[in-house]
Amino acid sequence: MDNLLYLALGAALTWAFYFVQRRVEKRSAVEAIERNQKLLDLKQGLDESNTNLDDLRHFEQRLIGKAETAARIADNYFTKAEEVARQSDDAAVTQRDMNQQALEEFHRADARLATVVTHLRRQLDDETLAVFDDAHRSWLQFRDRYARFVSQSYAGGAVRPLIHAVTLESITELWSNELETQLGDESL
């Protein structure tokens, strides 16, 4: 009787193990089929849009570059806010000093922009260079108008020059970083 019980128990365990194993194998097969189907859909989508993997990698690098730029600018704003808070507690630092410091930082950002523009211009052919020069002139006009708009949004006249300079600096940094993404793998 014991042998019959052991035989039935062994058969039940074997049967259970078989179905568990089949379920596990089936799940991995289904997952592989689904993964391959997604890859096929992606490949077909890429073929339809005339996009290749190098285009996707370049796009990814540009997105990563923009995210890094946004993080740097956010960090820069945070640092400036801390500095302004520290300086506002310091009676020796005047509004004029803060304005001058912000203006100097804008001039540093503007010098960096000039370097990036010079480097980028060397890479462009005549037709593309003319289009870029027109776009850059328009951007410079936009930068000045935008900074004036932002600074005039503040009611207090004493803080306006500071806001104007900080806005000029931040938007100049954004434009420099955008142009750097156009340089691709080339460095300055």
Side-chain angles (χ1 to χ4, degrees):
M1 187 67 147
D2 289 336
N3 286 341
L4 188 58
L5 182 62
Y6 289 134
L7 180 65
L9 183 61
L13 287 175
T14 303
W15 178 78
F17 177 74
Y18 172 78
F19 282 106
V20 168
Q21 182 181 9
R22 293 300 301 157
R23 185 163 292 242
V24 169
E25 288 174 357
K26 186 177 181 183
R27 183 175 356 157
S28 64
V30 169
E31 288 172 356
I33 291 170
E34 289 174 354
R35 184 176 58 248
N36 289 334
Q37 182 62 43
K38 288 177 183 177
L39 288 172
L40 179 62
D41 292 342
L42 177 62
K43 183 176 180 345
Q44 288 173 342
L46 290 173
D47 290 343
E48 289 174 10
S49 66
N50 293 325
T51 305
N52 60 32
L53 290 177
D54 288 335
D55 293 338
L56 286 177
R57 285 187 190 106
H58 182 68
F59 179 68
E60 177 187 35
Q61 289 172 350
R62 287 191 67 196
L63 286 178
I64 290 171
K66 289 182 183 216
E68 289 171 348
T69 298
R72 272 195 315 260
I73 289 171
D75 184 52
N76 191 19
Y77 274 130
F78 183 74
T79 302
K80 285 181 183 173
E82 284 180 329
E83 189 174 313
V84 167
R86 245 188 340 270
Q87 290 176 352
S88 66
D89 292 338
D90 187 359
V93 177
T94 65
Q95 182 67 42
R96 184 178 182 281
D97 294 337
M98 287 190 288
N99 293 348
Q100 185 62 34
Q101 182 182 0
L103 194 58
E104 288 169 3
E105 290 180 21
F106 161 65
H107 288 303
R108 278 193 288 278
D110 201 40
R112 178 174 168 258
L113 174 63
T115 302
V116 172
V117 166
T118 300
H119 189 74
L120 182 60
R121 290 183 88 242
R122 278 189 245 134
Q123 297 180 17
L124 303 176
D125 61 27
D126 291 339
E127 183 180 331
T128 309
L129 180 60
V131 172
F132 170 74
D133 284 342
D134 184 49
H136 187 62
R137 272 191 304 277
S138 296
W139 181 85
L140 289 171
Q141 291 172 352
F142 163 76
R143 175 183 71 177
D144 294 336
R145 289 177 182 153
Y146 178 72
R148 189 171 56 242
F149 163 73
V150 170
S151 66
Q152 287 179 350
S153 298
Y154 288 82
V159 77
R160 280 186 180 173
L162 177 66
I163 299 300
H164 187 262
V166 168
T167 303
L168 283 172
E169 180 201 0
S170 66
I171 196 167
T172 301
E173 284 291 327
L174 282 169
W175 184 239
S176 293
N177 291 327
E178 175 64 27
L179 292 178
E180 281 182 337
T181 62
Q182 299 303 319
L183 295 173
D185 293 333
E186 293 194 29
S187 60
L188 293 173

